[in-house]
Every structure is written in C-alpha cells, then in structure tokens.
Amino acid sequence: MTNGSGATASEPPHSLDAEQATLGSILLDPSACREIAESLQADDFYRPDHRLIAAAIASVALEALPDPVIVAERLNQAGKLEE
C-alpha cells in the first residue's frame, strides 16, 4: 500500500522527482546552493545516491561554486561515483 507520495506505509514520504529537480537546480544555478545550504542537508534526501550527491555539492560549495564536473570528481575521489 502506498501513501499519496508514492511511499509505502513503512517509508517516509518522499518525492524522487523533487530530489532530482533540487539537485539539478543547484547544479544549473550554483548560487542557489549557498542560498539553501542552511536549510537543506544531505540527510534530507531519501535516496542514498542523492545523499551522496548533495554531500559532494555541499563539500565543493565550501571551496567554490559547485558544478557537475567538480561534484563528479569529488565523488570519484571518495570512491562513490558509481553509487
């Protein structure tokens, strides 16, 4: 049985489309990362791969504005790119 968000009764409500859109928006407009950094954490994402991407974006954002190439390199350095 699923609830209105597509999650089963034992899963927390989540929207994978919203997660992907959020991550994509940050990568398309890196300045958005700094704007939402205080209110959005990697643990807020349901999917483990989305958590990894969000954590890599946050890590990169501490040093510079994140872009997809730098985020992918950070995940590769951590051995998590394939995840």
Side-chain angles (χ1 to χ4, degrees):
M1 183 165 110
T2 63
N3 61 26
S5 70
T8 65
S10 63
E11 295 176 325
H14 62 278
S15 170
L16 300 180
D17 289 339
E19 289 187 10
Q20 290 171 338
T22 300
L23 293 170
S25 295
I26 292 169
L27 291 172
L28 289 173
D29 181 8
S31 64
C33 185
R34 291 194 175 132
E35 293 176 25
I36 64 170
E38 292 181 15
S39 61
L40 186 65
Q41 306 296 318
D43 289 340
D44 293 334
F45 290 88
Y46 177 76
R47 283 185 47 166
D49 56 335
H50 291 171
R51 284 187 221 122
L52 289 173
I53 294 167
I57 289 171
S59 172
V60 169
L62 294 174
E63 301 162 19
L65 292 178
D67 74 36
V69 174
I70 295 172
V71 171
E73 180 58 28
R74 186 62 53 98
L75 288 169
N76 189 44
Q77 290 170 348
K80 306 272 185 188
L81 183 60
E82 293 304 315
E83 289 181 47

